[in-house]
Amino acid sequence: MFARISPEEKLQLIGLYQEAGWIVGMTGDGVNDAPALKKADIGIVMGQRGTEVAREASDMVLKDDAFATLVAAIEHGRTIFSNIRRFIVYLLSGNLAEIMAVAAAALIAFAIALGPMQLDSAHAVTIGFLTFGFARLWHVLNMRGTESSLLVNEVTRNRYVWIAIAIGVALLIAATYVAPLAAILSIQIPTLGEWLLILSFSLLPLILVQLGKLVVHRLIRPRRAS
């Protein structure tokens, strides 16, 4: 704990923590806090008694001067950052699988499984389209943290995730069985056996990733315990 330190000493402390690999947040309100607010990874100024110089040098301005507000802001920020990171992983992993499938089909001169309007599609192309569609919906459940529970986690507790999955399933069903939509997309109605094939293969990435997370969790937990 440090008290009554100079602006130069504040800068030195921030520099030491940054050199050690820490992400440093600095709170202040006065003119003498401006250099440290600027140097920190995130400068936070008190909204009521903060000077204009401190405001200009900071990254975040609190509406009040309560530290409880700062704690709440950090929690919300971490949640937003975590959600953005998961969404990027979700998009990249799903899109990469589709790109690889289309590229592989092109290399072996096979019918492309996906197209902008499902071009000259037959049952095989319909199966590919629906399999990728459902797989992308189930894939969102893979975005849980490695150390979280398999069934109860930050993803399964989010009701908006389930709403989005339900809407996605409804749209895929509508695209298959609503005649005008099926005609536009040139989708063939799958048989019962084809539906079983679609659901089985669409669930396969979810099962494999979840098994992988369980293995990683079992490997990490003993190391931390030791």
Side-chain angles (χ1 to χ4, degrees), residues 127-223:
I127 291 172
F129 169 71
L130 292 176
T131 299
F132 274 112
F134 281 106
R136 289 295 295 270
L137 295 178
W138 316 143
H139 184 47
V140 72
L141 300 176
N142 285 328
M143 296 301 105
R144 70 177 180 90
T146 304
E147 300 181 7
S148 60
S149 171
L150 176 62
L151 299 178
V152 181
N153 51 67
E154 61 275 21
V155 177
T156 59
R157 287 195 298 264
N158 190 332
R159 64 189 180 96
Y160 295 106
V161 169
W162 295 108
I163 293 174
I165 291 176
I167 293 174
V169 170
L171 290 174
L172 287 173
I173 296 297
T176 305
Y177 288 101
V178 176
L181 293 177
I184 293 173
L185 298 173
S186 300
I187 292 180
Q188 306 291 326
I189 296 179
T191 64
L192 178 60
E194 289 170 345
W195 270 120
L196 293 176
L197 190 66
I198 290 167
L199 294 176
S200 299
F201 278 94
S202 67
L203 287 170
L204 188 59
L206 173 64
I207 295 172
L208 292 177
V209 173
Q210 293 298 328
L211 288 175
K213 287 181 179 289
L214 289 176
V215 172
V216 171
H217 179 59
R218 290 181 179 274
L219 291 176
I220 293 177
R221 186 169 55 182
R223 292 180 182 177

